[in-house]
Amino acid sequence: MSSFPTENRLSLWREIIESTRNIFKSHVGHFEAISILFLLPIVFSLIVYPSFHLAIFHPDYDFTSFARPQFSNIEIILLIVYTLFLSLFFICGVGTTTYSAVQAFYDRPINLVSSIKSIRNSFFPLLSTFIVSQTIFISITLIFSLILVFVVRILQSLGLKHGLNDHLSFVVIFGLIVLVPVLIWLQVNWSLAYVIAVVESKKGYETLRRSANLVKGKRWVAFGILMYYGLVIALMVVGCSMFLVCVDAAKGDQWRSLAVILQTVLGSVFGYVLMNQYLVANMVLCMCCKELNNDEKLYVLQGVEQR
């Protein structure tokens, strides 16, 4: 196990990024296989699904009109199924990648079969953590949305219908300025939750509380990791997806064009590689926090393969 520097956050961040790259490079074939099985389908579908969804259900939708599209029952069912698909592959991807990264961190032998089998032990702790965290995220977002609707209703009741769109834009922008930092702050505090679910088999809110306690004093490091990987992944996926939507890639033979194929392939490959490294980096950060906190549960995984 490497000794992590404590003198400043930047040195610690660099050490974590370097350790992440070393772990990935030392077992690149293994992590590539896991990523192709579980992470690639997530990134690829996030890039191509919006364009095909719009082409099938809303072929004549005009984005400049800002009209709210009408959703059919079949469309809603499809969205639910798609969400379940993303959730299942995400949980399996997180479980196998984190397990493999921990084994590599302790210089233990790893193979694809044992990593996949590890899902049996980590699936339900990860699932409960995922459900609780996403429920909190969605609840906070809904509360902010209801507040925005309430403010808009007040503006309308005050007779401010003239220039209402300008007021509405201001309210939405202000709401995002308040909401986004709150969600990022929660994500930073819970950045170790999935690692804890795999390493310590804790479940639900317990993993979130444990993560928040462990990451104390290292929140800026966790924030740096989130921005370094998460922001790039988000921009890449959103950018590629918007490109396919704008060129109507799902209509006619557009999907056969070289630009569409290259955009989709490059976005998918870089996306799953960065997602894999982000999961590994969170594992390294978790071990770092435990080491610096002299946590007694640091070696809990010594018997993980006997569970």
Side-chain angles (χ1 to χ4, degrees):
M1 181 188 304
S2 61
S3 179
F4 295 97
T6 59
E7 55 270 14
N8 60 70
R9 300 186 186 99
L10 183 59
S11 297
L12 180 58
W13 181 84
R14 288 174 176 171
E15 179 67 21
I16 291 173
I17 297 299
E18 186 63 27
S19 298
T20 298
R21 291 172 177 171
N22 290 336
I23 290 174
F24 185 79
K25 290 178 181 178
S26 62
H27 302 278
V28 62
H30 177 83
F31 284 110
E32 287 284 351
I34 288 178
S35 298
I36 291 173
L37 281 176
F38 300 113
L39 302 182
L40 176 59
I42 296 175
V43 179
F44 177 78
S45 66
L46 287 174
I47 291 175
V48 303
Y49 179 81
S51 59
F52 279 90
H53 183 94
L54 288 173
I56 294 172
F57 294 102
H58 307 281
D60 300 321
Y61 182 75
D62 183 11
F63 288 94
T64 60
S65 65
F66 296 101
R68 185 173 61 181
Q70 299 296 322
F71 294 96
S72 64
N73 292 334
I74 296 178
E75 190 176 358
I76 295 174
I77 293 174
L78 182 61
L79 286 172
I80 294 174
V81 172
Y82 177 62
T83 302
L84 293 175
F85 159 80
L86 290 178
S87 302
L88 176 62
F89 274 77
F90 175 76
I91 291 172
C92 292
V94 170
T96 53
T97 301
T98 303
Y99 172 87
S100 301
V102 172
Q103 299 300 311
F105 185 83
Y106 288 110
D107 295 322
R108 298 173 184 154
I110 57 176
N111 59 74
L112 185 61
V113 175
S114 63
S115 295
I116 294 176
K117 285 183 177 180
S118 70
I119 298 175
R120 294 179 301 179
N121 297 321
S122 61
F123 182 82
F124 288 106
L126 286 170
L127 178 62
S128 62
T129 301
F130 177 82
I131 291 174
V132 172
S133 62
Q134 295 307 308
T135 299
I136 295 175
F137 280 133
I138 294 173
S139 298
I140 293 175
T141 303
L142 287 177
I143 291 173
F144 271 84
S145 300
L146 291 174
I147 293 174
L148 291 180
V149 172
F150 180 70
V151 171
V152 171
R153 296 297 185 187
I154 291 178
L155 292 176
Q156 290 177 337
S157 65
L158 293 175
L160 298 177
K161 296 183 179 180
H162 180 69
L164 182 60
N165 290 334
D166 295 333
H167 291 93
L168 180 60
S169 300
F170 174 78
V171 170
V172 171
I173 292 174
F174 178 79
L176 290 176
I177 291 175
V178 176
L179 175 62
V180 172
V182 171
L183 297 181
I184 291 177
W185 184 81
L186 288 176
Q187 181 61 43
V188 167
N189 278 277
W190 299 343
S191 57
L192 309 181
Y194 291 120
V195 182
I196 293 168
V198 174
V199 172
E200 302 177 10
S201 295
K202 293 183 180 295
K203 299 179 181 179
Y205 180 76
E206 191 177 3
T207 61
L208 306 182
R209 181 179 57 82
R210 170 85 169 136
S211 174
N213 290 333
L214 267 182
V215 84
K216 283 181 180 178
K218 306 295 182 294
R219 289 191 178 95
W220 281 110
V221 179
F223 176 76
I225 293 173
L226 176 63
M227 292 296 102
Y228 185 76
Y229 290 110
L231 184 61
V232 175
I233 294 171
L235 291 176
M236 184 180 301
V237 171
V238 171
C240 292
S241 180
M242 289 182 63
F243 171 78
L244 296 186
V245 171
C246 291
V247 300
D248 293 328
K251 296 180 181 179
D253 294 330
Q254 286 288 346
W255 62 272
R256 296 182 180 180
S257 67
L258 182 61
V260 170
I261 294 174
L262 284 178
Q263 189 89 351
T264 304
V265 171
L266 292 177
S268 299
V269 172
F270 282 110
Y272 83 71
V273 170
L274 289 173
M275 187 180 294
N276 185 289
Q277 293 192 16
Y278 175 62
L279 295 175
V280 176
N282 280 335
M283 184 282 302
V284 177
L285 175 62
C286 183
M287 297 305 166
C288 160
C289 292
K290 288 188 173 189
E291 180 180 325
L292 297 179
N293 293 337
N294 296 317
D295 194 284
E296 72 278 3
K297 297 180 181 179
L298 181 60
Y299 304 103
V300 71
L301 269 186
Q302 288 181 350
V304 71
E305 296 197 14
Q306 280 75 39
R307 290 206 309 250

